[in-house]
Amino acid sequence: MKKALVCGAGGFIGSHLVKRLKREGFWVRGVDLKNPEYDVTNADDFIIGDLRNQDLCDKVLDQYFDEVYQLAADMGGAGYIFTGENDANVMHNSALINLNIVERAVKQKAGKLFYSSSACMYPAYNQEDPDNPKCNEDSAYPAAPDSEYGWEKLFSERLYLAFNRNYGLTSRVARFHNIFGPLGTWTGGKEKAPAALCRKVAETPDGGTIEVWGDGKQTRSFLFIDECLEGIIRLTRSDFTGPVNIGSEEMVSINQLADMIIGISGKNISVKNISGPVGVRGRNSDNKLIEEKLKWKPTQTLIEGLTITYNWIAQQVNTKMA
Ligand code: NAD
């Protein structure tokens, strides 16, 4: 039976990935600081522990794994990574995790190792025009991410690829562009735009108003979790190292995103733009490389994923309010 390790298995993408690997017949070990928040883990073995701790990493990577997925990171939405208040923790915590994992993965001669980087590593100077952002993989340098979160991702991408070159590690690196879906953080300060807007709309009565950070003209693309998992698995099992974008090319402004969610809710709600942490003006996935290398790219429309996500968050909100 093939074995997989999922670091960050208590998180949004990690908990979904565990389910997917179980469906494929893997024996799965998960590790995280916490259990999944909204679900019971499907992992065969779930270790609660801190991957910044070297002894814990020895315990977690104590054997050969056919596939290792490194998703653990100190992260959150704009309200967490763009305020500046968490910069030191974000850099220190995530870098320590990655430094520990590469070393132990080499020691255990791990099979394929997947590392999740982020589109936040792309230079801010290419993302000033909301209608025409540039995020092809080759545009990463000269580096100028707009957050320390992005700088740490860039450092860690390079770390995994350097270990490939010098120690024969078989890492794969993907740059995720805003992944969303059910069972993701939707409240508490670490939630991202789609979940935050779904929550606001679900909490607001018909005829009410929601607040949206920024002027609402900033653009992004959003990828539904199932397509993200497909991209992760396909990349990990391919011969292509990356870095490669895993994202949608369906770019919308944040106010358009809010309008789509309001439309799904069926309520009559208006939008008020207020000042808040927003990040770059525009960002969109560029899928030429993934299509060329994996003969695959995400195709699901945003509205499909948003409908599923809104319904799940509305259910959470209603349960909380009941
Ligand atoms: P998440 O926050 O839900 O999951 C990350 C998990 O890592 C959390 O459960 C957290 O408890 C765990 N973790 C943090 N520090 C740890 C530590 N010291 N030891 C053990 N576990 C620790 O985030 P996610 O959305 O599932 O993202 C997964 C990965 O994908 C992250 O590396 C993130 O940076 C990257 N990413 C996500 C997105 C997105 O839109 N969700 C976009 C770009 C990149």
Side-chain angles (χ1 to χ4, degrees), residues 20-264:
R20 163 92 193 233
L21 292 166
K22 282 307 299 168
R23 280 204 303 276
E24 291 186 4
F26 275 74
W27 183 90
V28 182
R29 170 176 287 167
V31 55
D32 203 297
L33 290 170
K34 58 172 179 63
N35 279 302
E37 231 168 312
Y38 311 108
D39 205 2
V40 179
T41 184
N42 284 41
D44 298 277
D45 180 29
F46 195 93
I47 298 178
I48 297 280
D50 190 337
L51 290 164
R52 291 172 303 178
N53 177 327
Q54 297 194 356
D55 294 337
L56 188 271
C57 290
D58 284 332
K59 195 172 139 193
V60 165
L61 267 157
D62 64 347
Q63 57 187 283
Y64 174 80
F65 286 93
D66 299 275
E67 295 176 5
V68 174
Y69 295 90
Q70 197 328 65
L71 302 160
D74 190 1
M75 63 99 65
Y80 188 72
I81 58 174
F82 295 128
T83 60
E85 286 161 23
N86 305 299
D87 286 353
N89 284 343
V90 163
M91 298 188 88
H92 186 253
N93 293 340
S94 298
L96 271 183
I97 296 170
N98 290 313
L99 289 164
N100 284 340
I101 295 292
V102 273
E103 205 193 353
R104 270 128 199 108
V106 168
K107 215 185 270 175
Q108 290 299 343
K109 298 187 171 48
K112 297 279 182 71
L113 194 160
F114 173 88
Y115 172 62
S116 51
S117 179
S118 164
C120 287
M121 50 61 62
Y122 282 115
Y125 57 77
N126 279 334
Q127 302 173 82
E128 282 162 10
D129 177 359
D131 297 323
N132 201 17
K134 190 171 162 193
C135 291
N136 58 302
E137 289 79 353
D138 288 346
S139 69
Y141 298 97
D146 73 330
S147 65
E148 301 299 0
Y149 170 75
W151 278 104
E152 190 283 327
K153 287 293 187 192
L154 195 56
F155 163 76
S156 290
E157 285 189 359
R158 301 189 65 98
L159 177 73
Y160 284 95
L161 297 179
F163 269 69
N164 279 6
R165 292 195 301 275
N166 296 162
Y167 291 107
L169 204 62
T170 323
S171 308
R172 304 286 179 252
V173 177
R175 296 171 178 161
F176 292 160
H177 290 244
N178 296 312
I179 315 303
F180 73 100
L183 308 180
T185 303
W186 57 276
T187 185
K190 281 194 165 188
E191 63 277 19
K192 313 261 189 50
L197 294 175
C198 285
R199 187 199 68 237
K200 289 179 187 184
V201 170
E203 285 173 347
T204 303
D206 203 14
T209 302
I210 58 161
E211 292 183 338
V212 175
W213 289 347
D215 63 7
K217 292 180 186 146
Q218 66 274 29
T219 52
R220 294 290 185 277
S221 70
F222 301 92
L223 185 70
F224 191 62
I225 181 68
D226 290 358
E227 295 220 281
C228 173
L229 297 180
E230 192 61 34
I232 294 174
I233 299 271
R234 282 176 187 257
L235 176 65
T236 304
R237 296 176 190 163
S238 78
D239 292 328
F240 182 52
T241 303
V244 65
N245 291 327
I246 294 187
S248 160
E249 287 180 320
E250 186 183 344
M251 188 172 79
V252 292
S253 73
I254 298 303
N255 277 359
Q256 281 171 334
L257 180 72
D259 287 342
M260 286 171 102
I261 296 169
I262 292 167
I264 294 165

Side-chain angles (χ1 to χ4, degrees), residues 287-296:
N287 291 345
K288 279 186 224 60
L289 188 65
I290 196 165
E291 196 174 6
E292 179 196 325
K293 298 291 180 183
L294 303 186
K295 311 283 174 251
W296 175 88

